Amino acid sequence: MDELEFLKKDWKRQEADLPKVNIESIYKMIHKRSSSIMKWILYISIIEFLFWTVINAFTINTKSLNSLKELHLYEFEIIATLIHYCILIYFIYIFYKNYKEVQTTENTSKLMKRILKVRKTVNYYVIYNLVMAFIIGVIVFIASAIYSPKIQEIYVVGEDGSQSLPLSFIVTFIGMFLLIIGLFWLFYKLLYGILLRKLHRNYKELNKLELRN
């Protein structure tokens, strides 16, 4: 049986005799679990940061740099990458700060506020990454449509002499793009969703303790 569930059931059985001791025991268990979850959020964000850094390092070569220059995205890539890494490092720092602060939290209401703050920060982190991926994808598509020789080869000429991309190409791109964004969303949902649900359960347990006091 789960240790926290055992304490809760034991607390209910002995509530008339030792309510204070059991409340403190349950709080300590929830506090320990919450601290462990926040530690894992920190570790996962660091691992994710290192993973994408290694991927980028291995994919950067003369061919990819020439492709960026061909699309007039070389300077944009450098600036966007620097900004992106600065924001990621900031999020990692916030995760670290939350983890360290929760370790010294000895008050139920403060721990509840800390849990809510962590949940918000993780949600902002996920939203930022999805929005960033969306913006980058749109910019790359527009640059490719304007400057890529391969894309320009598939342009169709209208009766008035205007050129445009085939509708089938646009629909295929949008479908693939939304699929990639969806996969990113599922990735973050699986990666952080489980931890956030556990934090939410801890929050509800702490709320019950607060109502009993």
Side-chain angles (χ1 to χ4, degrees), residues 141-192:
F141 174 74
I142 293 172
S144 299
I146 296 173
Y147 299 111
S148 174
K150 292 182 180 179
I151 299 296
Q152 289 175 356
E153 287 177 2
I154 65 174
Y155 269 82
V156 292
V157 181
E159 294 180 358
D160 59 352
S162 62
Q163 292 185 327
S164 62
L165 286 169
L167 181 60
S168 58
F169 175 82
I170 296 174
V171 171
T172 302
F173 173 83
I174 292 174
M176 292 293 293
F177 183 57
L178 292 178
L179 176 63
I180 293 171
I181 294 295
L183 290 174
F184 268 108
W185 179 80
L186 283 175
F187 168 76
Y188 285 114
K189 190 76 174 176
L190 290 173
L191 203 59
Y192 295 102

Side-chain angles (χ1 to χ4, degrees), residues 11 26-27 30 108-109 111-113 115-116 199-213:
W11 171 34
I26 291 174
Y27 171 80
I30 295 173
T108 304
S109 60
L111 180 57
M112 290 173 69
K113 289 179 181 178
I115 288 174
L116 288 177
L199 271 183
H200 184 60
R201 285 198 294 269
N202 288 354
Y203 177 85
K204 290 195 292 186
E205 295 296 338
L206 288 169
N207 192 44
K208 291 177 183 177
L209 295 182
E210 279 284 271
L211 292 175
R212 286 181 177 271
N213 287 339

Side-chain angles (χ1 to χ4, degrees), residues 76 79-85 87 126-139 177 181:
F76 168 79
I79 295 171
T81 300
L82 288 174
I83 293 173
H84 181 58
Y85 273 93
I87 293 175
V126 172
I127 291 170
Y128 161 74
N129 279 288
L130 293 177
V131 170
M132 189 70 172
F134 178 82
I135 292 173
I136 294 288
V138 170
I139 291 174
F177 183 57
I181 294 295

